[in-house]
Amino acid sequence: MLRVRRVAYAGAIVMVGLTGCTASAEAGPTPTPTPTPSGTVSPTATATPTATVTSPRPTVTRPTIQVQLNPDSVTAGETSTVWILANCPVPSGGPAHTGTATSRAFVTGANLNPVPAGTTSPTPTGAANGSPWVRGSAQVSGTVRRGTYTVNVKCDGTNDMGTARLRVVAPEALPTNVPTKAPRAGGGGTYAQDVADESTIPLGPAGVLIGLALAAGIGIAVKRRNRA
């Protein structure tokens, strides 16, 4: 906008133009252009874990070996010896052909070794699978209670296993037909009666002889009286 000022100088009027600048309304700041990305970035894909299903390995079931006991029954209250015979296969690769037998009825475990050739007793009975036998003995304590006990056998070289049953039974009862009184003695008098258990007269042949001597003495005394 141009402003005019009048100035009086020497009778003349001089017009001096003053140039004034008036500030126009300030415009708003020019926005800074936003750079446009030249390429499009795709999001990174996240890998999803894949579950691997492992199929179980097939379990190999080994046949149960044959185990025999000799004897298979013992009497409670007595210390007994039991032989254990097991039909263990012959191992390959170096392990010895041996076995181990354990039971709650045994004092300690028993080591089983191959049965020597030509052995007659104790020997296994019945059919087997063609494998040689191993055997060993174990003690059963007299304190073992009556009942049935399991005998477990493991073949050391092949891990084959088998079991047998051992019975601990009560002692046999005494016969009931045993006489409890002495037999009658021959002769008369008191010898014709049953002799009491608390009697002091000897029994057996000696008692019979004493009885005969007494009878003879009585007879002699009677004859002497008749003569008198």
Side-chain angles (χ1 to χ4, degrees), residues 192-210:
Q193 301 177 0
D194 292 339
V195 180
D197 294 338
E198 62 274 8
S199 174
T200 58
I201 299 177
L203 302 178
V208 175
L209 293 176
I210 294 175

Side-chain angles (χ1 to χ4, degrees), residues 73-196:
S73 177
V74 296
T75 303
E78 300 178 1
T79 301
S80 308
T81 299
V82 176
W83 284 91
I84 307 98
L85 300 100
N87 191 217
C88 286
V90 178
S92 59
H97 184 217
T98 58
T100 304
T102 57
S103 176
R104 292 177 55 192
F106 294 166
V107 177
T108 58
N111 296 323
L112 310 181
N113 298 303
V115 178
T119 302
T120 58
S121 179
T123 54
T125 59
N129 59 4
S131 299
W133 292 78
V134 294
R135 72 173 185 178
S137 62
Q139 278 193 341
V140 180
S141 174
T143 59
V144 176
R145 297 181 178 181
R146 290 177 294 174
T148 303
Y149 296 85
T150 301
V151 178
N152 299 296
V153 173
K154 179 181 179 182
C155 303
D156 298 333
T158 60
N159 292 330
D160 288 74
M161 293 183 292
T163 60
R165 300 286 183 179
L166 175 66
R167 295 185 302 114
V168 180
V169 299
E172 294 183 0
L174 296 175
T176 58
N177 57 353
V178 176
T180 57
K181 294 183 179 180
R184 295 180 180 181
T190 58
Y191 291 95
Q193 301 177 0
D194 292 339
V195 180

Side-chain angles (χ1 to χ4, degrees), residues 23-27:
S24 62
E26 296 180 355

